[in-house]
Amino acid sequence: MGDGADTGAHAVPKALARLGLKTDQDLLLHLPLRYLDLTRLTPIAELDAGIDAQVEGLIRRSEVSGRGRRTLICELDDGSARLTLRFFHFYPSQLAQLAAGKRVRAYGNVRGGLFGLEMVHPSVRPATPGRLPTALTPVYPAAAGIGQALLRRAIEGALARMHWPETIPEDVCARLGLMPIEQAIRLLHAPPPGVDAVAIEDRTHPAWQRIVFDELLAQQLSLRMARAQRDAMTSTVLGATTLAERLRATLPFQLTGAQRRAWREIASDLAQAHPMNRLLLGDVGSGKTVVAALAALVAIGSGRQVALMAPTEILAEQHFRKLTGWLQPLGARIAWLAGSLRESDKQRTRQAIAAGEADLAIGTHALIEDVVDFERLGLAIVDEQHRFGVAQRLALRGRTAGAHVPHQLMMSATPIPRTLAMTYYADLDVSVIDESPPGRLPVVTKLVSESRRAEVVARVRDAVATGRQAYWVCPLIEESEALQLKTATETFEALAGELAGLRVGLVHGRLGPQEKATVMQEFAAGRIQVLVATTVIEVGVDVPNASLMVIEHAERFGLAQLHQLRGRVGRGAAESVCVLLYRNPLSEGARERLRISYESGAGVEIARRDLQLRGPGEFLGARQSGEPLLRFAELERDAALVPAARELAAAMLAHHPRRVEAHLARWLAGRTEFLKA
């Protein structure tokens, strides 16, 4: 095989560095988005509207018409018929190129016009008699100031110098029917005549399958290596379960079977001398927090500190209140640290953490600031883990002195589809709470047009009259937090008028922590009957008496977010309703999201459909620190390749370490650090 070294030292034009193209290897893996078929000419008389085609002929007429928006109109004649070329934007050089009497080739989409067939903004070049390309012409991802000609020249040079030894054992390639890697790369950059263009475009061609398989294999190799490196680290054995058992005995409810199973798996991990790296998955309302509390008590009982980090202050505050109620009676000392605290309060809390006077520190990103150090951190818990960047999770794990690495428990209410778990989360152990607490009824979802808003307001009044409470969630306005605040305030004022006589509250991200806490406490105590809120209540809020949720402009929300919001109701014994209030006209995507939300209450199904609609980003958050580890594979389309890649990764690590090194250098090029979180 050789040593597996790739070409890549050749100098690359500096302009291409803006696209991240610095070596031959980068260029070779900068694969085309699509292709132009410039291998043949089509007589104008044989053109049909709707096709892409290349024609060649003589410019018979070229004129600029219009006073305001000037248009360049040319008439191309190839002897069989005439075709109009139309340009709404043009340069003086194009006027010269397209002057009457010039012979040119034009490639573009043919469409019907008022005066016959035409091409709008075709690509045009001077005709070279008798010379046509012999392969499809690639169109590459580009950037401003970097043209296709520059990319094609650079990539053609890299192809001429290419020497890529096989990194996958040859017998495996034969058994799996994999095209040789060099052949696959060359074919994708220059597909020969007669190639299956449809298979190339939809990435099912054997050349694409080889690229996708190699990428999936690199991912599986790096994840297995990350797990092996973690297993070689040393952690403190956390085996003292007395405090955890005392909590279970005092809880006013019994753990579900799924909670008990998850707890056994976590307790077993904590009792090992290497760090736990476990993901606790459970749908909204399934009871993840109590399992995390039991894990925290094992660490505290073993003489170690615990850090619990949540993505928003409102969720961190919810954890602080709930865990204080459970753990403080057992003697646990709990600290609160958030960015909005006064500096003097933060300083006191940091000192308590550093001195070991706080057993459990709960907070937001403030927990991973450089000035926070734990005396003996034994367990790091990250809630809604996909909302944090990888660097942030690694920083939390590194907030302790000494050689011992803390155990790590991550929690998410976003169910992970099986395909995703087998790829991006293959390095984690996963515990699933797939059972709701007894007595919980499914939430009924209703789709209601904005035109019936008055009926929805009346429904809220009726719910309050029966002793229930309601949420009214304001629309998501991504462009501006200030706009969202204005909308929330206006909605609050409107509802306070429409629901005169009821106590209406308002909570949003701009409120200070004490103000937010006061409003939430008033709502939890039943003194506020209707809570107008932005999406700060998306996670963590637990008010069993709230049985009605209205989500205004529901068409603006993603599937996972709608499911998270809906999970704020249905937490008591009464039947709960979630009203998705939408405004017409709906885009196709919005209509599909609302339909899926209406039809499915199961988080796993929501997650599967969300993966289809939007790809893996929602589930992963910043796992790749902004750089996607899968550039070419698509999990829905390529799921069938994952098992073989997993199996081969294990075999190569055991028997072909040099090939592993060469494969990772080719496909990940230094991006493996972020897989360790």
Side-chain angles (χ1 to χ4, degrees), residues 281-301:
L281 290 177
D283 212 342
V284 285
S286 62
K288 297 181 295 297
T289 307
V290 70
V291 176
L294 293 169
L297 284 171
V298 168
I300 293 167

Side-chain angles (χ1 to χ4, degrees), residues 312-357:
T312 66
E313 280 204 20
I314 198 162
L315 176 54
E317 287 167 23
Q318 289 276 327
H319 282 313
F320 179 67
R321 286 198 295 275
K322 183 168 280 189
L323 292 173
T324 297
W326 285 342
L327 274 57
Q328 213 166 46
L330 300 173
R333 298 165 298 177
I334 303 175
W336 163 248
L337 188 62
S340 61
L341 287 176
R342 287 181 306 190
E343 189 54 42
S344 59
D345 292 335
K346 282 198 276 193
Q347 187 59 34
R348 276 195 298 274
T349 303
R350 290 184 197 118
Q351 288 170 352
I353 293 170
E357 295 163 5

